[in-house]
Each structure stands twice: as C-alpha cells, then as structure tokens.
Amino acid sequence: PARLQRVMDPAPPARVLLIHTHPVQYLAHLYREYGARPELDVLVAFCRVPAGTSLYDKAFGMETEWGVGLLGGYRSVALPERLHRISDYFNPAVWRLVRRGNFDAVIAYGYNFPTAWVSLAAAKLSGVPWAFVGDNHTLANPQGKKRFGKRSFLVTIGRLVDGVAAQSVRAANFYSGFAG
C-alpha cells in the first residue's frame, strides 16, 4: 500500500524562475502555455514592465505598441529597485527572489545584463541550476581589446552556467565554444 501511494501521488511541479528584461509579444503565449501546465510552477520576473501595451524600445528609438496583452495568463512580477545610473536592467532585488524562492532552476533570457549576473551569483550560492537563452552566433563587430574582453566574458559565463538554450544551430555552435 505505501508503495502504491507513492506511485499515485503526483510529483510536485518544477519551480522555475524565468528572468527577462521586459515583456515581449513573441514570448507571452509561451509563458501562458507554461502557466497552464500542472507539472510547472513558473514565475516570470521582468526588469521593467510597461504601463500598458506599449514600451519605448531604445534599439529602435521609438515607442512600440503591441495589440495583445503581454502579462495575462501566467504568474509574473516586476522586479523593484531599478538603479538607472548603472543600467536599465540592474534589479538587485532578484538576489532575494532567487535566494528565497526555492526554485528548481533559474533561466535568464540573455546573459549580458546586470540582473542576469546577480541572478547567476544568487543561484550558484543557493545550489540552483542557472541557464540562459541565447541567440548570438558570432562575435561580429568587436575589435581588438573589446573583442578579447567579450570573448573572456563569454568563457567565464560558459564555466559558470548549467545550460544554454540556443535558438539556432549556429548559436549552439557558437556557445559550445565557450563551455567550461
């Protein structure tokens, strides 16, 4: 009977923290899918959240407007304590969230923003696996010392991470060159 009970008891859902700089339309449906799965307990932490369905995009130098709700159908939190003098994406409150959240894994969308680095340090100290999602496939553009610095940074990250979800074959090949 005890053995049968163990088989019948469902496993607790995997607790996963996803960290993203801001909500984006092409991931909202994926987050909703995660939220609907009983085997997952996903919390998405955003560095900044727009007031409505628009967000100023620095890369394009314009306000972007999405005709869909970006935050409904899944659990999310806006990380407090942004310090703009350091970076738009420096949210030291992620430290406490990771350390006290009892997560089974932490996954950042990217590796190149300060909140991701803070979450990586907190995860490592907590014994929680940390991974990132990446789409880079080359070290194009940087020259000389800047290229060396970026390569060194990627080697360091490669030694610390527990996994990378590369978004293409070229990205997988790129990141595998930095694995520790």
Side-chain angles (χ1 to χ4, degrees):
R3 182 174 169 198
L4 180 59
Q5 185 61 40
R6 280 195 309 262
V7 171
M8 294 181 68
D9 285 342
R15 291 183 42 80
V16 179
L17 175 63
L18 301 178
I19 301 170
H20 206 291
T21 54
H22 60 283
V24 291
Q25 82 287 358
Y26 55 86
L27 289 174
H29 72 283
L30 186 60
Y31 296 154
R32 283 191 277 280
E33 178 65 27
Y34 295 156
R37 294 182 171 265
E39 69 272 18
L40 294 175
D41 179 7
V42 174
L43 176 63
V44 184
F46 294 110
C47 294
R48 62 184 170 123
V49 176
T53 58
S54 66
L55 180 72
Y56 182 78
D57 190 319
K58 284 185 179 181
F60 293 108
M62 61 186 279
E63 191 80 16
T64 55
E65 175 74 35
W66 309 112
V68 297
L70 301 178
L71 298 173
Y74 62 92
R75 289 188 329 120
S76 67
V77 62
L79 292 168
E81 302 175 31
R82 264 192 333 259
L83 300 176
H84 292 287
R85 291 183 190 140
I86 296 172
S87 168
D88 282 348
Y89 303 119
F90 180 58
N91 305 77
V94 76
W95 177 271
R96 180 177 292 184
L97 180 61
V98 172
R99 296 283 288 163
R100 295 185 180 174
N102 196 30
F103 295 104
D104 296 307
V106 176
I107 303 170
Y109 279 82
Y111 63 88
N112 57 350
F113 59 103
T115 301
W117 308 333
V118 173
S119 73
L120 171 59
K124 287 298 170 185
L125 287 173
S126 301
V128 175
W130 189 92
F132 71 89
V133 178
D135 59 3
N136 296 55
H137 60 273
T138 181
L139 278 176
N141 296 333
Q143 302 296 318
K145 290 179 182 178
K146 190 172 183 180
R147 183 179 181 90
F148 175 78
K150 186 169 185 176
R151 184 167 190 64
S152 298
F153 180 74
L154 282 165
V155 167
T156 301
I157 291 290
R159 290 182 179 146
L160 294 172
V161 303
D162 297 292
V164 177
Q167 296 183 334
S168 70
V169 172
R170 288 184 70 192
N173 291 335
F174 174 75
Y175 291 122
S176 69
F178 301 105

